[in-house]
Amino acid sequence: MPVKTPFFVSTEYDSFEQYIKKLSRDSRRNALQQLEKYSNVEYMEISRNEGLKLKPIMEKIWRKQIIRGKSAAGMGDIPIKNNTRFFACKLNKEFVMLHCVEQYKNYIYCHMPMHDKLLYPSLSKYSWFNLIKYIIENIKDCCGIDMGGECGKDYPHNCTLPYKSCNPHFKYLIENRKKLK
């Protein structure tokens, strides 16, 4: 089974275009393809009230799917904290994706973007690139985005079902994040 790791993306760029230029050729092509493919989708930050109303709807859709080869039916609710922010994608005036993130002093911890993977197979990639763009352009004190993994948000190794295969040493990546290039 592949090891699941926290994935940290720096947002210390002057512009999203600068970030795109720093990507590898394949990643840059992928980003531009997703941004073009979903150019009719509106990406936005939504209010806490809107996010709280949309969250159970998107969690219900998300749980009906297969994630990493397993049913997502047993996945718990995404915790909502005081620092939770909500981002969404809208198509034809209808919300089709919700992304809950937690903003800390100098980084953003992300939960998975929730959407119907059968209707919008790569919408999550579009969402990730737009979140990166939003952070670069709007939150200047943020050094990056922790795109998740089952553990890594907090210092203690705290894997919960259904994922018990995380490497306990990943917590040291988080503790020593400022030393990473």
Side-chain angles (χ1 to χ4, degrees):
M1 180 169 185
V3 176
K4 297 170 181 70
T5 65
F7 186 48
F8 191 76
V9 174
S10 174
T11 55
E12 296 180 300
Y13 295 95
D14 294 327
S15 68
F16 184 65
E17 291 74 27
Q18 183 185 37
Y19 165 79
I20 292 289
K21 286 178 183 177
K22 296 273 186 175
L23 294 174
S24 69
R25 185 181 60 194
D26 288 343
S27 293
R28 185 172 40 255
R29 185 175 62 238
N30 186 10
L32 296 174
Q33 284 174 344
Q34 298 311 315
L35 294 171
E36 174 65 26
K37 179 178 180 178
Y38 290 106
S39 61
N40 59 335
V41 172
E42 185 181 0
Y43 182 85
M44 69 196 76
E45 182 170 17
I46 60 174
S47 72
R48 186 173 187 86
N49 285 340
E50 285 179 299
L52 292 172
K53 287 179 195 171
L54 188 56
K55 183 179 170 279
I57 296 164
M58 288 296 155
E59 284 176 332
K60 185 176 179 180
I61 291 169
W62 191 249
R63 284 191 185 102
K64 292 179 181 177
Q65 301 177 98
I66 303 298
I67 311 295
R68 295 185 192 107
K70 296 180 182 178
S71 169
M75 293 181 90
D77 289 344
I78 292 175
I80 300 302
K81 301 179 178 179
N82 289 336
N83 63 341
T84 299
R85 295 174 73 170
F86 300 90
F87 294 87
C89 287
K90 206 180 230 189
L91 178 62
N92 301 324
K93 299 181 182 182
E94 180 183 346
F95 286 111
V96 294
M97 187 278 310
L98 178 67
H99 200 174
C100 303
V101 305
E102 298 166 19
Q103 183 174 352
Y104 291 91
K105 181 179 176 183
N106 64 349
Y107 78 100
I108 307 289
Y109 175 79
C110 302
H111 297 278
M112 68 283 184
M114 296 178 287
H115 65 286
D116 188 323
K117 290 174 29 175
L118 295 176
L119 289 177
Y120 311 103
S122 57
L123 186 61
S124 59
K125 288 181 184 181
Y126 173 80
S127 174
W128 285 116
F129 286 120
N130 272 284
L131 179 64
I132 293 166
K133 180 180 185 203
Y134 182 91
I135 301 304
I136 290 170
E137 293 177 354
N138 296 288
I139 304 177
K140 296 300 178 198
D141 294 336
C142 185
C143 68
I145 299 171
D146 184 340
M147 295 175 77
E150 285 71 50
C151 54
K153 182 175 64 171
D154 298 319
Y155 291 163
H157 181 70
N158 187 19
C159 277
T160 56
L161 290 173
Y163 309 106
K164 288 278 189 189
S165 60
C166 294
N167 184 330
H169 302 294
F170 292 153
K171 67 182 178 180
Y172 299 110
L173 289 174
I174 305 306
E175 289 172 343
N176 296 294
R177 181 170 283 157
K178 62 185 170 270
K179 297 177 185 174
L180 299 174
K181 298 289 182 197

